[in-house]
Amino acid sequence: MPPLLLSSAGPRPRPRPRPWASFLLATAFAALAGAAHGTPPEANASGVFLNTAGDVLTARHAVSDCRSLFALKDAQVAQARVIAESAELDVAVLRTTLTPYLHATLAADVRTPAPGSVGVFTEAYAVLQRMPDRAALLSNAMTVPGVEGLQLLSGVQPGASGSAVLGADGLLLGVVVERVAAAPHASGMVLSRAASAAGVAGGVTRVRAVPAARLRYFLDAHGIAYTQSREPQLGPQQSPAARASTLSVGVLCG
């Protein structure tokens, strides 16, 4: 992923500072200064809290080439670092100092695919923060039957890489990693914001998510703590959108 350029151009004083150090300082200053004024920077990608320690699950491509890395939650900005990753699955875990109010509960069973589409919820962190009437929204995407793994028909926008996919019961069914539109030339489009120029904004498209069963295997292999359950985390009329907003974390790559 190309870096998000936050430092300004122009003459540099002598002695000339090391470029990477200037970049990190500029990124940190922009993030922390924005948070101090109640306006955190826009997230490049999304993530979901995994445990009470504040570890965050996200898409690997969104964090693999970052010179600086931050996690955003409401008005909080915290430095983050990658502690586990899988190129095959395109997922990564970030260690942060954020304290989650709530963390995800992964679906514990290997579910038999439904014969038809099922309503689920997934959305980018930045969009969730501005979404009105979250508490009344039960779903905004549909599963695609008859395909391997977990695919959705969804209107998610750039910034949705790493977004949680929640079922109606509030369990984590997977995390979004890429766009897989039907047109051959459109397949493999990532959904992180820095790559949005290559994608197609707007409208419903097909996206791929890494299912919970494969996430559990990855987390177990790296010794990452998480919670799993077969029990519903929400009542029939409770909103997965509201739960997703609480679980969701913004990811800022510099």
Side-chain angles (χ1 to χ4, degrees), residues 45-51 53-66 68-72 78-85 91-98 161-162 218-219 224-225 249-253:
S46 305
V48 55
F49 280 125
L50 276 175
N51 50 45
D55 293 338
V56 173
L57 179 66
T58 188
R60 178 182 180 271
H61 72 259
V63 298
S64 59
D65 296 320
C66 303
S68 60
L69 188 58
F70 293 89
L72 318 175
Q79 285 189 310
R81 61 185 177 89
V82 177
I83 60 170
E85 59 185 316
V91 294
V93 176
L94 309 181
R95 177 65 44 86
T96 80
T97 57
L98 296 173
S161 287
F218 161 72
L219 296 173
I224 306 295
V249 182
V251 176
L252 177 63
C253 172

Side-chain angles (χ1 to χ4, degrees), residues 81-131:
R81 61 185 177 89
V82 177
I83 60 170
E85 59 185 316
S86 168
E88 177 187 2
L89 298 181
D90 192 16
V91 294
V93 176
L94 309 181
R95 177 65 44 86
T96 80
T97 57
L98 296 173
T99 302
Y101 176 75
L102 185 70
H103 61 81
T105 300
L106 277 69
D109 53 343
V110 179
R111 302 185 174 194
T112 302
S117 295
V118 175
V120 296
F121 183 85
T122 186
E123 192 52 87
Y125 170 81
V127 177
L128 276 170
Q129 306 316 298
R130 300 187 294 266
M131 183 178 288

Side-chain angles (χ1 to χ4, degrees), residues 189-250:
M189 293 179 182
V190 297
L191 290 167
S192 51
R193 188 169 298 278
S196 61
V200 180
V204 174
T205 187
R206 184 179 291 194
V207 297
R208 183 176 68 86
V210 181
R214 301 197 72 185
L215 292 175
R216 296 197 309 268
Y217 181 83
F218 161 72
L219 296 173
D220 287 341
H222 289 85
I224 306 295
Y226 65 93
T227 301
Q228 62 177 329
S229 180
R230 293 180 175 84
E231 297 300 320
Q233 304 298 298
L234 296 174
Q237 298 305 315
Q238 289 184 294
S239 168
R243 182 176 176 88
S245 178
T246 305
L247 298 174
S248 183
V249 182

Side-chain angles (χ1 to χ4, degrees), residues 31-43:
L32 297 176
H37 290 85
T39 55
E42 191 84 346

Side-chain angles (χ1 to χ4, degrees), residues 20 43 52 106 168 170 183 244:
W20 63 267
T52 57
L106 277 69

